[in-house]
Amino acid sequence: MLNSMLTYVIQKKYYFCLNCMSENKTHYTSDDFSLSRANTYSLLLQADVNHFDYAVLQDKQLLHWGTGFSTDELRDPSDLRDILTANYKKVLIGLKADALTLLPAALYEQAHIADAARLLDVKDNEKVLVEPLDEVNYNIYKVDEALLYAVKDLDNRQITHADMGWIKAVSANYPTNTSLYVHVGYECVSVLNYHYSKLRFYNCFSFKNHEELAYFCALVCKEIDLEPSKARLYISGDMNTTDGYFTYLKAFFGEVNLNSASVINLPATVAAHQILSLAALSLCAS
């Protein structure tokens, strides 16, 4: 049944576009926001090789939020010069990986890390980073060195994997066995599943359209032996219930919901699922 469903996902045709944040936009600015107090603020950045999103927090209060800016702005600030050059208390940077693999903590030795890194097919322009994913897994991932260069001048910075905060937020919210947690980014989707609160599946996939998004969600169901009709999807990122993508997913899975978990204080005009992954970087502060 699952194999036929995977085939059907590809064959069924819909024609619409994801409402992706492809153009830069400032979504929210608090009346209390003032860069004269930047030394009491945290700057959150989430970046891939082409785009970045950012938010400014004071403790757990959202003060400023923007999305879809070119990484060229990080290398040579113009429109966001004041934002990016302010003297923040902390700068938390989540970098999207070109590829990743997980290593059990029990095998955490330099030799095993090197063996795992070889699975990533690291190119000359890529760098391997390693960090604990949870209590039992290490995340070994590669990023483009140009991305690391783009953030090198940010003071008080702490670099982590782009999904790290989101994973922490999901794991703290009592995940169930039949739930898939899906974060939709810029032509990339991250999928999580837990089994009795222990991580069972985590991976990221590049996708171009609604069919590929549904296909990868169905593929994860197959991997964890879960019938799609019994799966509950909790989606974060740039999607809403009126999107064609959302409607398309509802045709294949038992439940499709927006992830309403919130890790910071938000104004009524900001939907929790849209900023969850970025805001959750605040959970990674050391």
Side-chain angles (χ1 to χ4, degrees):
M1 180 178 176
L2 194 52
N3 287 333
S4 62
M5 183 265 182
L6 289 168
T7 302
Y8 183 62
V9 165
I10 296 301
Q11 291 177 342
K12 191 171 183 179
K13 300 296 181 184
Y14 284 66
Y15 298 94
F16 40 67
C17 296
L18 179 62
N19 178 32
C20 61
M21 295 181 282
S22 57
E23 296 182 0
N24 64 67
K25 183 176 181 181
T26 299
H27 296 278
Y28 174 74
T29 302
S30 168
D31 292 339
D32 296 328
F33 177 61
S34 172
L35 287 174
S36 65
R37 297 193 294 273
N39 63 340
T40 68
Y41 296 167
S42 296
L43 174 65
L44 312 181
L45 290 172
Q46 201 167 44
D48 62 26
V49 292
N50 297 313
H51 319 86
F52 74 93
D53 303 338
Y54 75 93
V56 179
L57 310 183
Q58 184 168 41
D59 299 321
K60 286 187 172 294
Q61 185 64 48
L62 179 67
L63 297 177
H64 194 59
W65 173 39
T67 61
F69 289 84
S70 168
T71 49
D72 290 339
E73 185 75 19
L74 290 173
R75 288 183 281 267
D76 185 17
S78 176
D79 294 343
L80 298 179
R81 178 176 296 277
D82 290 345
I83 297 289
L84 295 175
T85 59
N87 183 29
Y88 295 99
K89 178 175 64 174
K90 175 76 72 172
V91 178
L92 298 163
I93 305 170
L95 300 182
K96 203 67 182 176
D98 291 333
L100 64 87
T101 187
L102 301 186
L103 180 71
L107 299 178
Y108 185 73
E109 296 177 4
Q110 197 62 42
H112 289 117
I113 292 173
D115 289 340
R118 277 192 283 272
L119 298 174
L120 301 179
D121 188 26
V122 180
K123 306 293 193 303
D124 291 341
N125 65 324
E126 295 172 327
K127 184 177 178 62
V128 175
L129 302 179
V130 182
E131 63 185 297
L133 185 76
D134 54 23
E135 294 179 353
V136 295
N137 295 291
Y138 277 81
N139 186 8
I140 302 173
Y141 59 102
K142 65 177 184 178
V143 299
D144 195 308
E145 287 189 338
L147 194 52
L148 290 169
Y149 181 82
V151 300
K152 70 178 179 62
D153 292 329
L154 294 167
D155 294 331
N156 302 322
R157 67 187 179 276
Q158 177 185 333
I159 292 176
T160 188
H161 187 277
D163 286 340
M164 194 65 235
W166 172 67
I167 293 171
K168 287 179 180 290
V170 170
S171 65
N173 209 35
Y174 306 103
T176 63
N177 298 356
T178 58
S179 297
L180 295 188
Y181 297 88
V182 179
H183 178 68
V184 179
Y186 296 102
E187 297 186 342
C188 180
V189 59
S190 301
V191 185
L192 278 173
N193 173 257
Y194 287 79
H195 184 66
Y196 293 107
S197 297
K198 300 293 185 182
L199 182 67
R200 174 162 58 175
F201 184 94
Y202 167 57
N203 210 342
C204 307
F205 307 94
S206 296
F207 74 98
K208 297 292 186 183
N209 53 50
H210 56 286
E211 295 165 346
E212 291 183 0
L213 177 59
Y215 172 83
F216 286 122
C217 291
L219 194 65
V220 174
C221 286
K222 183 177 182 180
E223 179 72 20
I224 63 176
D225 196 25
L226 175 64
E227 286 293 334
S229 61
K230 297 179 180 178
R232 292 180 291 178
L233 273 56
Y234 291 91
I235 298 174
S236 57
D238 186 34
M239 191 179 293
N240 58 59
T241 56
T242 61
D243 283 339
Y245 275 56
F246 189 90
T247 304
Y248 190 76
L249 291 172
K250 286 177 69 72
F252 298 107
F253 300 95
E255 289 184 30
V256 181
N257 309 282
L258 298 178
N259 193 333
S260 60
S262 183
V263 297
I264 62 173
N265 299 323
L266 299 173
T269 55
V270 175
H273 73 279
Q274 291 190 323
I275 198 174
L276 175 59
S277 183
L278 174 64
L281 287 175
S282 62
L283 302 176
C284 301
S286 60

